[in-house]
Amino acid sequence: MPTSANRVLQLGRLKPSLAETLRTDYHAYALPDGDRRDVFLAQHADEIGAIVVSGVTRVDSELMAALPNLKAVVNFGVGYDNIDVEAAAARGIGVSNTPDVLNDCVADTAVGLLIDTMRQFSSADRYLRTGRWVTDGNYPLTHQVSRSHVGILGLGRIGGAIAGRLRAFGCSISYHNRRQVPGSPYRYVDSAVGLAREVKVLVVAAAGGRGTRHLVDREVLDALGADGYLVNIARGSVIDQDALVEALTQGRLAGAGLDVFADEPNVPAALTKLDNVVLLPHVGSGTVETRAAMEALVLANLDKFLESGELVTPVTH
């Protein structure tokens, strides 16, 4: 159990079993909402040494400033654009995430979205269920996935796992990163626009945050073109969502498979009306096995911090 000078604060909703463990084994506080938040901070701010948060709840500089003894933010998720890492670094606050343990499931999701988007299986399912196979005949032809040219925007751990799966489909792979990956078997392209211009499918696997905000903008979407497909399992902020909606509704993009959005859980109504778009409610890592591994890594980070002040998987700023 942490000392009274190094208490744990749960911020936002967490996986129920994790929240229960924090409550029972760590005697963690939960930050209340509304007017009660200010009352809580007035009473307990000096006690808080660590925050445990999911990847959808903001940890901003204002909250950090309100917690004078905060030394660690432990994030349930690989993406950490919900955390102001620059403010954390300036205050000497460590930040951890949960890398690697979700690579496989997120990569599986990306490939599933790619197949569903190009072959339109979800749309074909609706076509059958509403009786249109009987009334309108066979479903229109779609496009082959195997041997497609796929671009990976962000060839990190998850991007690499996606590329490896797609090689088994005979796909040719190109990628764009801020820096070329040494020893990569895939073709490097030095800009997102250049990558989009030469591929059939663009898969977004770049980290979120200020540096990648709207990396996929109108110019990139236009380069992908009316015959191109977009898949995003990264962060909604990486894509200019308004430009994406416009491209899809105007027929300037063949289709999209999206697991993430700019303002979750809110999704533009225009997207929900399109049969060439597959929409998922941010379930990329949403399996029993992966979420259990993420929970274990969160607790490992928290335990190491409480014991030594260090983290197992620190984020480098």
Side-chain angles (χ1 to χ4, degrees):
M1 176 181 170
T3 65
S4 59
N6 207 19
R7 294 291 291 270
V8 177
L9 178 66
Q10 175 187 332
L11 186 62
R13 295 178 63 182
L14 294 174
K15 186 169 179 279
S17 58
L18 175 58
E20 180 64 12
T21 298
L22 292 176
R23 186 184 69 83
T24 57
D25 293 0
Y26 296 82
H27 300 274
Y29 293 127
L31 185 65
D33 296 323
D35 295 338
R36 295 182 300 156
R37 173 181 168 127
D38 292 337
V39 174
F40 172 88
L41 291 174
Q43 293 176 342
H44 301 291
D46 291 348
E47 302 173 43
I48 304 304
I51 287 174
V52 179
V53 63
S54 74
V56 297
T57 303
R58 288 286 301 162
V59 183
D60 56 24
S61 58
E62 181 181 358
L63 178 60
M64 294 179 198
L67 302 171
N69 295 313
L70 181 67
K71 295 300 179 187
V73 179
V74 180
N75 193 53
F76 183 90
V78 67
Y80 50 87
D81 52 319
N82 57 309
I83 301 166
D84 188 335
V85 292
E86 288 83 6
R91 292 179 174 275
I93 298 168
V95 177
S96 70
N97 63 343
T98 58
D100 295 321
V101 295
L102 45 64
N103 295 355
D104 284 337
C105 281
V106 176
D108 291 349
T109 300
V111 174
L113 273 172
L114 190 157
I115 294 171
D116 196 350
T117 301
M118 293 186 71
R119 294 297 311 277
Q120 297 186 12
F121 289 148
S122 290
S123 177
D125 176 83
R126 294 189 294 271
Y127 188 90
L128 182 152
R129 289 174 187 270
T130 56
R132 293 186 61 191
W133 193 12
V134 175
T135 60
D136 297 354
N138 291 338
Y139 189 81
L141 298 179
T142 59
H143 288 275
Q144 178 174 310
V145 174
S146 299
R147 294 184 292 280
S148 296
H149 190 177
V150 179
I152 309 290
L153 190 56
L155 195 72
R157 297 179 179 96
I158 292 172
I162 295 167
R165 283 157 171 75
L166 292 175
R167 287 185 79 179
F169 285 81
C171 295
S172 55
I173 308 294
S174 300
Y175 75 97
H176 171 68
N177 266 7
R178 285 176 293 180
R179 290 176 293 275
Q180 191 167 352
V181 178
S184 171
Y186 310 119
R187 181 174 182 274
Y188 177 71
V189 182
D190 63 5
S191 71
V193 173
L195 180 65
R197 188 175 291 121
E198 69 175 45
V199 300
K200 178 77 170 181
V201 188
L202 183 64
V203 179
V204 182
R210 295 175 186 172
T212 59
R213 178 173 171 78
H214 290 186
L215 178 61
V216 178
D217 57 11
R218 182 171 278 100
E219 185 180 7
V220 173
L221 295 171
D222 285 344
L224 191 55
D227 295 326
Y229 296 87
L230 179 75
V231 172
N232 188 13
I233 47 75
R235 281 290 185 265
S237 61
V238 181
I239 295 176
D240 182 339
Q241 187 167 273
D242 291 339
L244 175 61
V245 171
E246 183 180 292
L248 286 164
T249 54
Q250 293 179 359
R252 293 188 289 108
L253 196 65
L258 307 172
D259 184 48
V260 290
F261 304 90
D263 181 29
E264 297 177 2
N266 302 303
V267 177
L271 291 179
T272 66
K273 299 173 183 177
L274 297 174
D275 275 336
N276 62 336
V277 178
V278 182
L279 306 171
L280 299 178
H282 203 153
V283 296
S285 64
T287 65
V288 172
E289 295 83 0
T290 292
R291 292 294 168 84
M294 291 168 66
E295 179 176 344
L297 186 50
V298 164
L299 293 175
N301 271 294
L302 184 57
D303 287 341
K304 185 167 184 178
F305 167 74
L306 293 173
E307 291 168 5
S308 67
E310 298 178 346
L311 295 162
V312 177
T313 53
V315 168
T316 56
H317 303 295

